[in-house]
Amino acid sequence: MLRDLLDALRCPMPHEESWLVAMVYEAEGPLLRRADLSCPVCAAEYIIRDGIARFAEPLAGRDDRAPDPMRLAALLGVTDGHLPVLLSGRYTLAGDALGALIPVPQVWVNAQAVARPGAPGLSEMLVRDRVPLGVATLAAAAVDATHATPAMLASVIRAVQQGGHVIAPAETPLPDGLKELARDGEEWVAEVTARASGLIELRRRAPDAVG
Ligand SMILES: [Zn+2]
């Protein structure tokens, strides 16, 4: 995981948003190879080993259909910038090729691809049912069938910036907080709406005020 992503990490436990405190044991340039992450609110501890941040053991299941990188780049709708795009599961199989098309950092969640050693701009993490990222820390996200659960999508929608795109399998119901832009037999692509961000802010300030 890249050191740059530390600021975007939040404890995935259900409590008020909290940054994680990092104790770094081994780094290679911008890449944290071995570190411990701890939450000052609930004292949960997570580890970075071999460069991969391990928040939880992923659920079983994989889909080996390789995505088309050109199509993925078009659907993500990102051309440059410093915010990363999130690729989960099978979408990581197109990660290398995507990096050649759009020069933005990537966050791989439960990757099915093996990262090239020293791949620039790449952070990898293992998670179970949500991504441990703060509000508006991602430019866009591609969520594959293995990861398109309501809880995971809700955490992804929180993390994608307003107007950023979320891609999910066509059979996944469109969650709140997104406006559909296009769909075909394989996927839909939708953008995070202003309303969603507003609700998130309200929830953060007054947890009981919004249903
Ligand atoms: Zn915590």
Side-chain angles (χ1 to χ4, degrees):
M1 200 196 80
L2 297 180
R3 192 185 291 273
D4 279 358
L5 198 67
L6 276 179
D7 285 347
L9 293 181
R10 301 290 182 276
C11 181
M13 301 305 274
H15 58 63
E16 75 208 62
E17 273 211 0
S18 175
W19 283 269
L20 296 173
V21 179
M23 176 73 78
V24 178
Y25 302 110
E26 190 188 342
E28 207 177 291
L31 177 70
L32 305 179
R33 292 198 54 82
R34 199 163 73 87
D36 289 346
L37 303 168
S38 62
C39 172
V41 174
C42 73
E45 297 196 339
Y46 311 99
I47 59 174
I48 299 175
R49 294 292 182 270
D50 301 321
I52 300 175
R54 295 157 194 266
F55 288 92
E57 202 56 36
L59 296 169
R62 55 187 286 136
D63 176 350
D64 287 318
R65 290 173 303 150
D68 172 4
M70 295 286 282
R71 173 189 158 98
L72 181 58
L75 294 180
L76 286 168
V78 176
T79 49
D80 55 18
H82 67 281
L83 287 182
V85 295
L86 179 149
L87 304 177
S88 69
R90 82 178 183 102
Y91 286 107
T92 61
L93 297 168
D96 262 356
L98 184 74
L101 295 169
I102 48 175
V104 300
Q106 296 181 11
V107 175
W108 286 10
V109 170
N110 301 341
Q112 287 180 205
V114 177
R116 275 185 298 120
L122 175 61
S123 292
E124 286 194 78
M125 60 175 66
L126 301 180
V127 309
R128 177 161 288 257
D129 58 359
R130 69 188 66 191
V131 291
L133 296 169
V135 172
T137 52
L138 295 172
V143 182
D144 74 350
T146 312
H147 295 92
T149 62
M152 178 69 86
L153 280 167
S155 72
V156 166
I157 292 165
R158 277 183 93 253
V160 172
Q161 65 178 345
Q162 190 179 315
H165 292 186
V166 176
I167 302 164
E171 62 272 20
T172 306
L174 193 75
D176 287 344
L178 291 180
K179 185 178 90 180
E180 185 176 312
L181 299 175
R183 70 162 60 226
D184 63 11
E186 189 180 343
E187 294 149 319
W188 49 250
V189 56
E191 72 175 4
V192 174
T193 61
R195 195 170 144 269
S197 313
L199 277 175
I200 287 159
E201 290 305 314
L202 283 173
R203 281 206 180 98
R204 284 169 68 200
R205 285 195 214 109
D208 302 325
V210 180

